[in-house]
Structures are given as C-alpha cells and as structure tokens.
Amino acid sequence: MEADAKPMKLGGRLCCVCNQRRAALKRPKTLEQICRECFYAVFEEEIHQVILENKLFKPGERIAIGASGGKDSTVLAYVLSELNRRHNYGLDLFLLSVDEGITGYRDDSLETVKRNELQYGLPLKIVSYKDLYGWTMDEIVKMIGLKNNCTFCGVFRRQALDRGAALLKVDKVATGHNADDIAETVLLNILRGDIARLSRCTSIITGEDGPIPRCKPFKYTYEKEIFMITLGCQSLNELSTYAYFKKLDYFSTECIYSPNAYRGFAREFIKDLERIRPRAILDIIKSGEDFRIATSTKMPEQGTCERCGYISSQKWCKACVLLEGLNRGLPKLGIGRNQGLNSDAKKDIKKDDRTKSIESKQCGSLEF
Amino acid sequence: MHLMLEFGGGLELLCESVKVHNVNVDMPKGADKLTMKDLLAWVRTNLIKERPEMFMKGESVRPGVLVLVNDCDWELSGQLDTTLEDKDVVVFISTLHGG
Ligand SMILES: [Zn+2]
Ligand SMILES: [Zn+2]
Ligand SMILES: [Zn+2]
C-alpha cells in the first residue's frame, strides 16, 4: 500500500505506544502500529475494560470457560486467569470441555485442554456424550448415516455444555467467540431472514432467563489479534495443528461431519471485507446490535422438558426427542415437521412454521 | 536467495505436512529484488501440492491467512510489495475454518 515506506522493513517502524520498540502488528481495529510487548498489555487491558463495562462477572462467581482446545478458548482461559489474579475479580474459574466420542477427532484438542489445566491451574471437567446421552457421536453416525442436514451436533452440544456447567455448579459460562464469529453470525441471520436471532446473537450475555447464562468476553476482539497472541506465547503456540486446521470450536455448534458451506462463504466474505476495511467487522456487529425486533415478534415460550428437565418450549426437549428416536431405532424421529412426540404439546407460536421443526435449526444454527 | 518459510494453522497440510521449508528462490528475470508477490507465485508453483485456493486468492494470500516477515505483520511492510532479503523468515498461518 504505502510503497514509499517499504525500505524500512529491517529497521522497521516504531511502536505508536512506546515509541521505542519496532512495531510488529497493525491492529485491525485502529490501524495502529504496535510492538509485541505493548500489544499484549493493550490486549489484556481492553478485555478487562469490556468485562467491567458490561459487568460480565460478579465477585465470588463460579465461571466455566468453554474449552475446546482451539485458540480462542485457550487464549480466553489464559487471559481470564491472568485478569482474575491481577484485578482481584474473585472468580472461581473452571475449564469445561465436551467429548463427543469421535475417534481421532477430539483427542488432540482434549490434550490441549489438559495442558491448559496444568498451565493455568484451572480445574477441568470433561462431559462426554456417552455419559450424558448413552451414545457416542460415532455410534449415532453409524445409526443414521452421514447426511448433510444433521440435527444432532447443534442440539447435543449446546445441551452438553449446559449440563457440564450444571455439574460444576457454575453461575455462568464464558465462551471464546470473537468479533469475526459474531459478525459472521449477524450476516448469516440476515441471509436467513432470522431477525429474532439477529439481535440476540450480538448480546454479550445471553440466556439470562435460562439455567446458565453465557458470556463472550471476546465479542469485540478480532480473530487476527487472538492469533497474534497465540504466536507470541510459547505455551499457547503449542496448540495442535489438528485443532487449528479444523477450527474445532464446537461451541459454534457447527456440525462435525458436514460443515455448513453457507457459513463458510459468509466467513470468507467477512475476511474479504476486513482486508478492504478492517472496521467492517465491528460495523457489522454494530448493525446487528441496532436492529430492534418489532415487539410483535413472539418468542417461543420457555418451559422445561418433562423427561430431563432441560429448558424446552415443547413437552420434550430436542435432545430427548432425538434420543428417543435413536433408542427406538427410529433415528428420523424428531427430524422434520412431524414431530410425533411433541405434536400434542405444540404451543401456539405465531412464527414462521420452520421454527417448530428441529430440521430448521440444523447444525450451526445461529445462536451461541 | 535463501529463505525460511513456515506454514501453520493447517496450511502445512497443503505442502505435504511439512511446516518448515528452507528454500532458495531466485529473483525474477530482469528484476533486482524479490518481493512477496514473487515469493507467493514461487510458493504456489513449487510448494503447494493441493488445494491452492486454500492458500491464495488472486495474486495474494487468501484473506484470513496471516503473513509475518521476520516476525512482523506484513501489513506493516507493504504486503505484496515487501522486499525480501537473504535469510528472511516468512510465516504463513491460516485463521480460516479448514475443510
Ligand atoms: Zn511498544
Ligand atoms: Zn452434525
Ligand atoms: Zn429433555
């Protein structure tokens, strides 16, 4: 871009904060040129400010960090334990992971999480599908076959995280969703015409009416910066290639077997925009925030599942319907419009018909 | 010109799972320097064995791929116009969802 400046490469330009060290990074948010040392300090301070301004935590709270072994949640575990110590948040922090039971898939990332447990001294809880549901994902796939509208991943994973959080008796779950993730979700909700989820997906705290609220301390943090943090930190840099490449951040509830192509396109589009105008990511989030749902849009009524007690707007929660199908050897049960089990309990929800069927809420459904 | 190239974030899988490549790259004919633009063309021809679209878009890297030259964000050194020198270290890391 600024061709004149390029002979400076070796000497480099100076950091705009300390004016002493060579700049190592151009911050996407501000276009500032900053050295590594100042960047770490600024990065952590910004997260601290986000936590304070949004009142994400209260002293004495127990907080589970949704830990996938990927870079976002690993950096989150690092930053939160650091800030908790430095600023005396008074939080009890835990790591919470989900093991879907997929041979050769989660092993590496669970190893990363176990290393985090030692490095940051945070107790780790791993909840497995096998324990929670009696089925591993491998067994489910054997039963239902691979198809591209899998409903299991999103439903089971979201619930597994909640159940793990309940076992840990935590007050809140913090996840590593970053600004890029949220901008992508805003776009996808627009593309799908899902205005109800559009404004919800930008909230920094969600589920305050549910059993366990979730929060996203990295809501305003660019993915690029999270990467730069991992690069500079030896322990973070050890993240396994596999977790990196597959980007197994399962709290996006992405399907493991058939990643959502639509989402991939939205991601790429956002990265294209970012290259032209880095602020685009924050602006998309802002747009999402400023959408206000017309009050006439009714949200589903929240009740609890008669079978397992999980929140549900139906008689049985989606996981229980899916499990019933699996256990009876009718894996299609609960998939599609004829929900059978819940048909007598259908609530009068004046919404697009699709929201009643699980099928519409496929893997990667767009809330966190 | 001798360079050390490092691939991460899954990009190494596009070059036979080798993360670090010590390579010799000649300057383009008639040129008196080697730029990142030249290097990318060279990498695509000589190192990338599969799915080049995961690595490049047009003549640059795919958006979402971070590039560091001697530990510095290449956005500070002029991206494609960055002039490389002997023994430079260039790192490519994908931040994108893999496939
Ligand atoms: Zn500095
Ligand atoms: Zn799935
Ligand atoms: Zn249930």
Side-chain angles (χ1 to χ4, degrees):
Chain A
M1 305 240 158
E2 297 158 55
D4 303 340
K6 84 191 169 229
M8 298 276 293
K9 180 174 67 97
L10 281 181
R13 296 186 227 177
L14 290 181
C15 166
C16 70
V17 178
C18 65
N19 249 314
Q20 287 180 353
R21 288 175 291 256
R22 194 170 62 120
L25 164 74
K26 191 166 175 181
R27 299 199 67 194
K29 231 184 272 194
T30 56
L31 305 182
E32 286 168 320
Q33 308 183 9
I34 191 166
C35 74
R36 242 170 238 293
E37 290 80 354
C38 291
F39 170 58
Y40 295 140
V42 169
F43 181 92
E44 290 170 11
E45 181 59 23
E46 283 182 6
I47 304 300
H48 175 55
Q49 290 307 326
V50 167
I51 289 170
L52 291 187
E53 279 163 24
N54 297 280
K55 301 186 176 63
L56 295 190
F57 309 117
K58 292 191 200 79
E61 275 187 335
R62 293 163 68 89
I63 305 295
I65 298 163
S68 66
K71 65 168 185 359
D72 300 299
S73 57
T74 303
V75 174
L76 183 64
Y78 161 77
V79 173
L80 284 189
S81 53
E82 191 64 29
L83 292 177
N84 189 33
R85 199 168 16 243
R86 193 182 304 160
H87 297 288
N88 297 314
Y89 288 170
L91 302 176
D92 273 329
L93 296 173
F94 301 86
L95 297 169
L96 173 57
S97 291
V98 176
D99 183 359
E100 297 91 343
I102 301 170
T103 313
Y105 164 84
R106 187 59 75 191
D107 314 351
D108 283 8
S109 47
L110 286 178
E111 281 314 306
T112 307
V113 177
K114 285 174 191 160
R115 273 208 298 275
N116 295 159
E117 178 184 23
L118 297 177
Q119 278 158 2
Y120 310 132
L122 304 178
L124 164 66
K125 172 86 189 163
I126 301 177
V127 288
S128 74
Y129 279 17
K130 189 71 182 175
D131 291 344
L132 290 178
Y133 306 120
W135 291 76
T136 67
M137 213 42 216
D138 279 344
E139 290 165 349
I140 294 172
V141 168
K142 213 177 265 173
M143 174 94 165
I144 62 169
L146 282 180
K147 41 190 174 114
N148 52 13
N149 64 341
C150 157
T151 52
F152 290 87
C153 294
V155 172
F156 278 15
R157 215 178 274 147
R158 186 176 300 113
Q159 208 179 99
L161 200 62
D162 277 341
R163 292 198 180 283
L167 288 171
L168 284 171
K169 298 190 171 59
V170 293
D171 300 291
K172 214 171 270 162
V173 175
T175 61
H177 294 103
N178 59 46
D180 298 49
D181 295 332
I182 295 166
E184 171 190 302
T185 305
V186 168
L187 269 188
L188 279 167
N189 281 326
I190 291 173
L191 294 175
R192 287 184 176 168
D194 197 340
I195 301 301
R197 286 208 183 93
L198 175 59
S199 63
R200 224 185 321 157
C201 75
T202 60
S203 304
I204 195 161
I205 302 178
T206 52
E208 283 178 295
D209 47 345
I212 296 163
R214 299 195 184 182
C215 69
K216 304 186 274 262
F218 286 166
K219 176 183 169 187
Y220 301 104
T221 309
Y222 277 63
E223 179 158 74
K224 175 182 172 182
E225 299 205 335
I226 295 174
F227 256 92
M228 296 302 282
I229 293 278
T230 67
L231 292 179
C233 180
Q234 191 54 42
S235 65
L236 294 174
N237 207 350
E238 286 167 10
L239 294 175
S240 73
T241 300
Y242 195 73
Y244 253 147
F245 187 47
K246 288 278 189 182
K247 281 288 301 261
L248 310 176
D249 216 332
Y250 49 77
F251 304 122
S252 65
T253 70
E254 187 74 27
C255 177
I256 299 154
Y257 296 97
S258 54
N260 186 328
Y262 211 47
R263 185 175 271 276
F265 284 124
R267 189 66 160 199
E268 185 134 7
F269 178 60
I270 282 173
K271 294 289 183 191
D272 284 346
L273 290 178
E274 181 189 15
R275 176 169 287 180
I276 302 165
R277 202 172 71 94
R279 270 209 60 90
I281 288 179
L282 287 182
D283 290 344
I284 290 170
I285 296 176
K286 180 89 172 64
S287 302
E289 286 172 344
D290 288 350
F291 263 92
R292 288 281 169 267
I293 319 176
T295 42
S296 59
T297 310
K298 283 193 188 154
M299 306 298 266
E301 247 175 73
Q302 293 287 27
T304 49
C305 169
E306 278 183 14
R307 208 172 79 152
C308 74
Y310 189 74
I311 45 160
S312 172
S313 54
Q314 308 278 338
K315 189 167 129 190
W316 283 15
C317 75
K318 281 159 192 164
C320 284
V321 174
L322 290 170
L323 275 175
E324 178 70 8
L326 284 172
N327 293 332
R328 281 171 38 187
L330 302 165
K332 293 228 168 67
L333 198 66
I335 300 173
R337 299 197 173 191
N338 300 318
Q339 280 199 23
L341 288 164
N342 276 327
S343 51
D344 54 341
K346 265 185 192 154
K347 297 251 166 67
D348 213 15
I349 302 160
K350 280 232 167 81
K351 278 198 76 182
D352 183 345
D353 195 35
R354 290 178 315 149
T355 47
K356 285 179 194 164
S357 84
I358 294 179
E359 190 171 46
S360 70
K361 206 170 168 185
Q362 43 183 235
C363 291
S365 90
L366 304 173
E367 56 196 346
F368 294 124
Chain B
M1 181 180 304
H2 183 255
L3 299 171
M4 188 166 114
L5 311 181
E6 207 181 315
F7 295 83
L11 290 175
E12 68 277 12
L13 300 180
L14 308 180
C15 27
E16 297 176 320
S17 296
V18 178
K19 281 195 163 187
V20 179
H21 299 252
N22 286 293
V23 298
N24 270 303
V25 183
D26 294 328
M27 289 186 203
K29 280 202 177 65
D32 55 357
K33 60 180 184 179
L34 182 78
T35 64
M36 275 302 297
K37 187 174 161 186
D38 305 323
L39 178 67
L40 286 177
W42 187 92
V43 166
R44 182 176 175 144
T45 310
N46 295 282
L47 291 184
I48 302 291
K49 303 292 182 205
E50 55 180 298
R51 290 179 289 168
E53 72 280 2
M54 298 281 292
F55 180 60
M56 289 186 67
K57 185 164 186 171
E59 61 184 19
S60 190
V61 293
R62 184 182 180 197
V65 173
L66 292 184
V67 184
L68 304 177
V69 181
N70 298 337
D71 243 9
C72 272
D73 190 353
W74 78 329
E75 290 185 36
L76 294 174
S77 55
Q79 297 175 323
L80 287 175
D81 295 326
T82 308
T83 304
L84 295 166
E85 282 154 68
D86 198 38
K87 299 199 173 61
D88 274 354
V89 179
V90 185
V91 179
F92 302 98
I93 297 166
S94 174
T95 69
L96 279 168
H97 292 253

